[in-house]
CSV table of all heavy atoms in Angstrom, one decimal:
chain,number,residue,atom,x,y,z
A,193,GLY,N,71.3,329.5,127.0
A,193,GLY,CA,72.2,329.4,125.8
A,193,GLY,C,73.4,328.4,126.2
A,193,GLY,O,73.2,327.3,126.6
A,194,LYS,N,74.6,328.9,125.8
A,194,LYS,CA,75.8,328.2,126.1
A,194,LYS,C,76.3,328.3,127.6
A,194,LYS,O,77.1,327.5,128.0
A,194,LYS,CB,76.9,328.5,125.2
A,194,LYS,CG,76.7,328.2,123.7
A,194,LYS,CD,78.0,328.6,122.9
A,194,LYS,CE,77.7,328.1,121.4
A,194,LYS,NZ,78.9,328.6,120.5
A,195,LYS,N,75.7,329.2,128.2
A,195,LYS,CA,76.1,329.4,129.6
A,195,LYS,C,75.4,328.6,130.5
A,195,LYS,O,74.2,328.6,130.6
A,195,LYS,CB,76.0,330.9,130.1
A,195,LYS,CG,76.7,331.4,131.3
A,195,LYS,CD,76.7,332.9,131.5
A,195,LYS,CE,77.4,333.2,132.6
A,195,LYS,NZ,77.5,334.7,132.8
A,196,HIS,N,76.1,327.9,131.5
A,196,HIS,CA,75.6,327.0,132.5
A,196,HIS,C,75.6,327.7,133.9
A,196,HIS,O,76.6,328.4,134.2
A,196,HIS,CB,76.3,325.7,132.5
A,196,HIS,CG,76.1,324.9,131.3
A,196,HIS,ND1,76.3,325.3,130.0
A,196,HIS,CD2,75.6,323.6,131.3
A,196,HIS,CE1,76.1,324.5,129.3
A,196,HIS,NE2,75.6,323.3,129.8
A,197,PHE,N,74.6,327.4,134.8
A,197,PHE,CA,74.5,327.9,136.1
A,197,PHE,C,74.3,326.6,137.0
A,197,PHE,O,73.4,325.7,136.6
A,197,PHE,CB,73.4,328.9,136.4
A,197,PHE,CG,73.7,330.1,135.6
A,197,PHE,CD1,73.1,330.1,134.3
A,197,PHE,CD2,74.2,331.2,136.1
A,197,PHE,CE1,73.3,331.3,133.4
A,197,PHE,CE2,74.3,332.5,135.3
A,197,PHE,CZ,73.9,332.4,134.0
A,198,VAL,N,75.1,326.5,138.1
A,198,VAL,CA,74.9,325.3,139.0
A,198,VAL,C,74.6,325.8,140.4
A,198,VAL,O,74.9,326.9,140.8
A,198,VAL,CB,76.2,324.5,139.0
A,198,VAL,CG1,76.4,323.9,137.7
A,198,VAL,CG2,77.3,325.2,139.7
A,199,LYS,N,73.7,324.9,141.1
A,199,LYS,CA,73.4,325.2,142.5
A,199,LYS,C,73.4,323.8,143.1
A,199,LYS,O,72.5,323.0,142.9
A,199,LYS,CB,72.1,326.0,142.6
A,199,LYS,CG,71.8,326.3,144.1
A,199,LYS,CD,72.4,327.7,144.5
A,199,LYS,CE,71.8,328.7,143.8
A,199,LYS,NZ,72.5,330.1,144.4
A,200,GLU,N,74.4,323.5,144.0
A,200,GLU,CA,74.4,322.2,144.7
A,200,GLU,C,73.9,322.4,146.1
A,200,GLU,O,74.6,323.4,146.7
A,200,GLU,CB,75.6,321.6,144.6
A,200,GLU,CG,75.8,320.1,145.2
A,200,GLU,CD,77.0,319.5,145.0
A,200,GLU,OE1,77.9,320.0,144.3
A,200,GLU,OE2,77.1,318.1,145.4
A,201,VAL,N,73.0,321.7,146.6
A,201,VAL,CA,72.4,321.9,147.9
A,201,VAL,C,72.3,320.6,148.7
A,201,VAL,O,72.2,319.6,148.1
A,201,VAL,CB,71.1,322.7,147.9
A,201,VAL,CG1,71.4,324.1,147.3
A,201,VAL,CG2,70.1,321.9,147.2
A,202,GLU,N,72.2,320.9,150.0
A,202,GLU,CA,71.8,319.7,150.9
A,202,GLU,C,70.5,320.2,151.7
A,202,GLU,O,70.5,321.3,152.2
A,202,GLU,CB,72.8,319.5,151.8
A,202,GLU,CG,72.6,318.3,152.9
A,202,GLU,CD,73.7,318.0,153.8
A,202,GLU,OE1,74.7,318.0,153.3
A,202,GLU,OE2,73.5,317.8,155.0
A,203,VAL,N,69.3,319.5,151.6
A,203,VAL,CA,68.1,319.8,152.2
A,203,VAL,C,67.8,318.9,153.3
A,203,VAL,O,68.0,317.6,153.2
A,203,VAL,CB,67.1,319.8,151.1
A,203,VAL,CG1,65.6,320.3,151.8
A,203,VAL,CG2,67.4,320.8,150.1
A,204,CYS,N,67.2,319.4,154.4
A,204,CYS,CA,66.7,318.6,155.5
A,204,CYS,C,65.2,319.1,155.6
A,204,CYS,O,65.0,320.3,155.8
A,204,CYS,CB,67.3,318.7,156.8
A,204,CYS,SG,69.1,318.1,156.7
A,205,ALA,N,64.2,318.3,155.5
A,205,ALA,CA,62.8,318.7,155.7
A,205,ALA,C,62.2,317.8,156.7
A,205,ALA,O,62.1,316.6,156.7
A,205,ALA,CB,62.2,318.5,154.3
A,206,HIS,N,61.6,318.6,157.6
A,206,HIS,CA,61.0,317.8,158.8
A,206,HIS,C,59.5,318.4,159.0
A,206,HIS,O,59.2,319.6,158.8
A,206,HIS,CB,61.7,318.2,160.1
A,206,HIS,CG,63.1,317.6,160.1
A,206,HIS,ND1,64.0,317.9,161.2
A,206,HIS,CD2,63.7,316.6,159.4
A,206,HIS,CE1,65.1,317.2,160.9
A,206,HIS,NE2,64.9,316.4,159.8
A,207,LEU,N,58.7,317.4,159.4
A,207,LEU,CA,57.2,317.7,159.5
A,207,LEU,C,56.7,317.4,160.9
A,207,LEU,O,57.3,316.5,161.5
A,207,LEU,CB,56.4,316.9,158.5
A,207,LEU,CG,56.7,317.0,157.0
A,207,LEU,CD1,55.9,315.9,156.2
A,207,LEU,CD2,56.7,318.2,156.4
A,208,ARG,N,55.7,318.0,161.4
A,208,ARG,CA,54.9,317.6,162.5
A,208,ARG,C,53.5,317.5,162.1
A,208,ARG,O,52.9,318.4,161.5
A,208,ARG,CB,55.1,318.7,163.6
A,208,ARG,CG,54.3,318.1,165.0
A,208,ARG,CD,54.8,318.8,166.2
A,208,ARG,NE,54.3,320.3,166.2
A,208,ARG,CZ,55.0,321.3,166.1
A,208,ARG,NH1,56.3,321.2,166.1
A,208,ARG,NH2,54.4,322.6,166.1
A,209,LEU,N,52.9,316.3,162.4
A,209,LEU,CA,51.5,316.2,162.0
A,209,LEU,C,50.5,316.6,163.0
A,209,LEU,O,50.8,316.9,164.1
A,209,LEU,CB,51.2,314.6,161.7
A,209,LEU,CG,52.3,314.1,160.6
A,209,LEU,CD1,51.9,312.6,160.3
A,209,LEU,CD2,52.3,315.0,159.4
A,210,THR,N,49.2,316.6,162.6
A,210,THR,CA,48.1,317.1,163.6
A,210,THR,C,47.9,316.2,164.7
A,210,THR,O,47.3,316.5,165.6
A,210,THR,CB,46.9,317.5,162.9
A,210,THR,OG1,46.6,316.4,161.9
A,210,THR,CG2,47.1,318.7,161.8
A,211,SER,N,48.2,315.0,164.4
A,211,SER,CA,48.0,313.9,165.4
A,211,SER,C,49.2,313.0,165.5
A,211,SER,O,50.0,312.7,164.5
A,211,SER,CB,46.8,312.9,164.9
A,211,SER,OG,46.8,311.8,165.8
A,212,PRO,N,49.6,312.6,166.8
A,212,PRO,CA,50.7,311.8,167.0
A,212,PRO,C,50.3,310.4,167.0
A,212,PRO,O,51.2,309.4,167.5
A,212,PRO,CB,51.1,312.1,168.5
A,212,PRO,CG,49.9,312.5,169.1
A,212,PRO,CD,48.9,313.1,168.1
A,213,GLN,N,49.3,309.9,166.3
A,213,GLN,CA,48.8,308.5,166.3
A,213,GLN,C,49.8,307.6,165.8
A,213,GLN,O,49.9,306.4,166.2
A,213,GLN,CB,47.6,308.4,165.6
A,213,GLN,CG,47.5,308.7,164.1
A,213,GLN,CD,46.2,308.7,163.4
A,213,GLN,OE1,45.2,308.9,164.1
A,213,GLN,NE2,46.2,308.5,162.1
A,214,GLU,N,50.7,307.9,164.9
A,214,GLU,CA,51.7,307.0,164.4
A,214,GLU,C,52.7,306.7,165.5
A,214,GLU,O,53.3,305.6,165.5
A,214,GLU,CB,52.4,307.6,163.2
A,214,GLU,CG,53.4,308.7,163.4
A,214,GLU,CD,52.7,310.1,163.4
A,214,GLU,OE1,51.5,310.1,163.6
A,214,GLU,OE2,53.4,311.1,163.3
A,215,TYR,N,52.9,307.5,166.5
A,215,TYR,CA,53.8,307.3,167.6
A,215,TYR,C,53.1,306.5,168.6
A,215,TYR,O,53.6,305.5,169.2
A,215,TYR,CB,54.3,308.6,168.2
A,215,TYR,CG,55.4,309.4,167.4
A,215,TYR,CD1,55.0,310.4,166.6
A,215,TYR,CD2,56.7,308.9,167.4
A,215,TYR,CE1,55.9,311.0,165.8
A,215,TYR,CE2,57.6,309.6,166.6
A,215,TYR,CZ,57.3,310.6,165.8
A,215,TYR,OH,58.2,311.3,165.0
A,216,LEU,N,51.9,306.9,169.0
A,216,LEU,CA,51.1,306.3,170.1
A,216,LEU,C,50.4,305.0,169.8
A,216,LEU,O,50.2,304.2,170.6
A,216,LEU,CB,50.1,307.3,170.7
A,216,LEU,CG,50.7,308.7,171.1
A,216,LEU,CD1,49.5,309.7,171.6
A,216,LEU,CD2,51.8,308.5,172.2
A,217,GLU,N,49.8,304.9,168.7
A,217,GLU,CA,49.0,303.8,168.1
A,217,GLU,C,49.6,302.9,167.1
A,217,GLU,O,49.0,301.9,166.8
A,217,GLU,CB,47.6,304.3,167.8
A,217,GLU,CG,46.9,305.1,168.9
A,217,GLU,CD,45.7,305.9,168.3
A,217,GLU,OE1,45.4,305.6,167.1
A,217,GLU,OE2,45.2,306.8,169.0
A,218,GLY,N,50.6,303.5,166.4
A,218,GLY,CA,51.1,302.6,165.3
A,218,GLY,C,50.3,302.9,164.0
A,218,GLY,O,50.5,302.0,163.1
A,219,ASN,N,49.5,303.9,164.0
A,219,ASN,CA,48.6,304.1,162.9
A,219,ASN,C,49.2,305.1,161.9
A,219,ASN,O,49.4,306.1,162.3
A,219,ASN,CB,47.1,304.7,163.5
A,219,ASN,CG,46.2,304.8,162.3
A,219,ASN,OD1,46.6,304.8,161.0
A,219,ASN,ND2,44.9,305.0,162.7
A,220,ASN,N,49.5,304.6,160.8
A,220,ASN,CA,50.3,305.2,159.8
A,220,ASN,C,49.5,306.0,158.7
A,220,ASN,O,50.2,306.5,157.7
A,220,ASN,CB,51.3,304.5,159.2
A,220,ASN,CG,52.3,303.8,160.1
A,220,ASN,OD1,52.8,304.6,161.0
A,220,ASN,ND2,52.8,302.7,159.9
A,221,CYS,N,48.2,306.1,159.0
A,221,CYS,CA,47.4,306.6,157.8
A,221,CYS,C,47.6,308.1,157.4
A,221,CYS,O,47.3,308.4,156.3
A,221,CYS,CB,46.0,306.4,158.1
A,221,CYS,SG,45.3,307.3,159.5
A,222,LEU,N,48.1,308.8,158.3
A,222,LEU,CA,48.5,310.2,158.0
A,222,LEU,C,50.0,310.5,157.7
A,222,LEU,O,50.4,311.6,157.2
A,222,LEU,CB,48.1,311.1,159.3
A,222,LEU,CG,46.5,311.1,159.6
A,222,LEU,CD1,46.5,312.0,160.8
A,222,LEU,CD2,45.7,311.6,158.6
A,223,VAL,N,50.8,309.4,157.8
A,223,VAL,CA,52.3,309.7,157.6
A,223,VAL,C,52.6,309.8,156.2
A,223,VAL,O,52.3,308.8,155.3
A,223,VAL,CB,53.0,308.5,158.3
A,223,VAL,CG1,54.5,308.6,158.0
A,223,VAL,CG2,52.8,308.4,159.7
A,224,ILE,N,53.2,310.8,155.8
A,224,ILE,CA,54.0,311.0,154.5
A,224,ILE,C,55.2,310.4,154.5
A,224,ILE,O,56.1,310.8,155.3
A,224,ILE,CB,54.0,312.5,154.2
A,224,ILE,CG1,52.5,313.1,154.3
A,224,ILE,CG2,54.5,312.8,152.8
A,224,ILE,CD1,52.6,314.8,154.5
A,225,PRO,N,55.4,309.3,153.8
A,225,PRO,CA,56.7,308.6,153.8
A,225,PRO,C,57.9,309.6,153.5
A,225,PRO,O,57.7,310.6,152.7
A,225,PRO,CB,56.7,307.6,152.7
A,225,PRO,CG,55.2,307.4,152.5
A,225,PRO,CD,54.6,308.7,152.8
A,226,THR,N,59.0,309.3,154.2
A,226,THR,CA,60.2,310.2,154.1
A,226,THR,C,60.7,310.1,152.6
A,226,THR,O,61.2,311.1,152.1
A,226,THR,CB,61.3,309.9,155.0
A,226,THR,OG1,61.7,308.5,154.8
A,226,THR,CG2,60.9,310.1,156.3
A,227,ASP,N,60.5,309.0,151.9
A,227,ASP,CA,60.9,308.8,150.5
A,227,ASP,C,60.0,309.9,149.8
A,227,ASP,O,60.5,310.5,148.7
A,227,ASP,CB,60.7,307.5,150.1
A,227,ASP,CG,61.3,307.4,148.7
A,227,ASP,OD1,62.5,307.5,148.4
A,227,ASP,OD2,60.5,307.0,147.7
A,228,THR,N,58.9,310.0,150.0
A,228,THR,CA,57.9,311.0,149.3
A,228,THR,C,58.3,312.4,149.6
A,228,THR,O,58.4,313.3,148.7
A,228,THR,CB,56.5,310.9,149.8
A,228,THR,OG1,56.0,309.4,149.6
A,228,THR,CG2,55.5,311.8,149.1
A,229,ILE,N,58.8,312.6,150.8
A,229,ILE,CA,59.3,314.0,151.2
A,229,ILE,C,60.5,314.3,150.2
A,229,ILE,O,60.6,315.4,149.7
A,229,ILE,CB,59.7,314.1,152.6
A,229,ILE,CG1,58.5,313.9,153.5
A,229,ILE,CG2,60.5,315.4,153.0
A,229,ILE,CD1,58.8,313.8,155.1
A,230,LYS,N,61.5,313.4,150.2
A,230,LYS,CA,62.6,313.5,149.3
A,230,LYS,C,62.2,313.9,147.9
A,230,LYS,O,62.7,314.8,147.2
A,230,LYS,CB,63.5,312.3,149.3
A,230,LYS,CG,64.7,312.3,148.5
A,230,LYS,CD,65.3,311.0,148.1
A,230,LYS,CE,64.3,310.2,147.3
A,230,LYS,NZ,64.9,308.9,146.9
A,231,ASN,N,61.3,313.1,147.3
A,231,ASN,CA,60.8,313.3,146.0
A,231,ASN,C,60.2,314.7,145.7
A,231,ASN,O,60.4,315.3,144.7
A,231,ASN,CB,59.9,312.1,145.4
A,231,ASN,CG,60.6,310.8,145.3
A,231,ASN,OD1,61.8,310.7,145.2
A,231,ASN,ND2,59.8,309.6,145.6
A,232,ILE,N,59.3,315.1,146.7
A,232,ILE,CA,58.7,316.4,146.6
A,232,ILE,C,59.8,317.4,146.6
A,232,ILE,O,59.7,318.5,145.6
A,232,ILE,CB,57.9,316.7,147.8
A,232,ILE,CG1,56.7,315.8,147.6
A,232,ILE,CG2,57.5,318.1,147.8
A,232,ILE,CD1,55.7,315.8,148.8
A,233,VAL,N,60.9,317.3,147.3
A,233,VAL,CA,62.0,318.3,147.2
A,233,VAL,C,62.6,318.4,145.9
A,233,VAL,O,62.9,319.4,145.4
A,233,VAL,CB,63.0,318.1,148.3
A,233,VAL,CG1,64.3,318.9,148.1
A,233,VAL,CG2,62.3,318.2,149.8
A,234,LEU,N,62.9,317.3,145.4
A,234,LEU,CA,63.4,317.2,144.0
A,234,LEU,C,62.6,317.8,142.9
A,234,LEU,O,63.0,318.4,142.0
A,234,LEU,CB,63.9,315.6,143.7
A,234,LEU,CG,64.9,315.2,144.7
A,234,LEU,CD1,65.1,313.6,144.2
A,234,LEU,CD2,66.2,315.8,144.6
A,235,VAL,N,61.2,317.3,143.1
A,235,VAL,CA,60.3,317.9,142.1
A,235,VAL,C,60.2,319.5,142.2
A,235,VAL,O,60.2,320.1,141.0
A,235,VAL,CB,58.9,317.3,142.3
A,235,VAL,CG1,57.9,318.0,141.4
A,235,VAL,CG2,58.9,315.9,141.9
């Protein structure tokens, strides 16, 4: 109605993948971009 509620937060979201190939081989096929992570949090 006319009453408003606010919640302001700061989020840090970190992942570990099943394979370290992006570190060892430069293969990014499993990497979820950090921009995507941010958008998921907002959604």
Side-chain angles (χ1 to χ4, degrees):
K194 292 184 177 180
K195 193 171 185 179
H196 290 57
F197 299 83
V198 298
K199 187 81 73 173
E200 185 174 356
V201 299
E202 176 181 322
V203 178
C204 301
H206 291 167
L207 309 176
R208 183 169 69 244
L209 304 183
T210 53
S211 168
Q213 62 188 21
E214 71 275 18
Y215 288 98
L216 301 179
E217 304 166 12
N219 184 342
N220 297 326
C221 68
L222 299 179
V223 175
I224 305 162
T226 59
D227 187 65
T228 303
I229 295 173
K230 177 199 70 176
N231 291 336
I232 288 172
V233 169
L234 296 176
V235 168

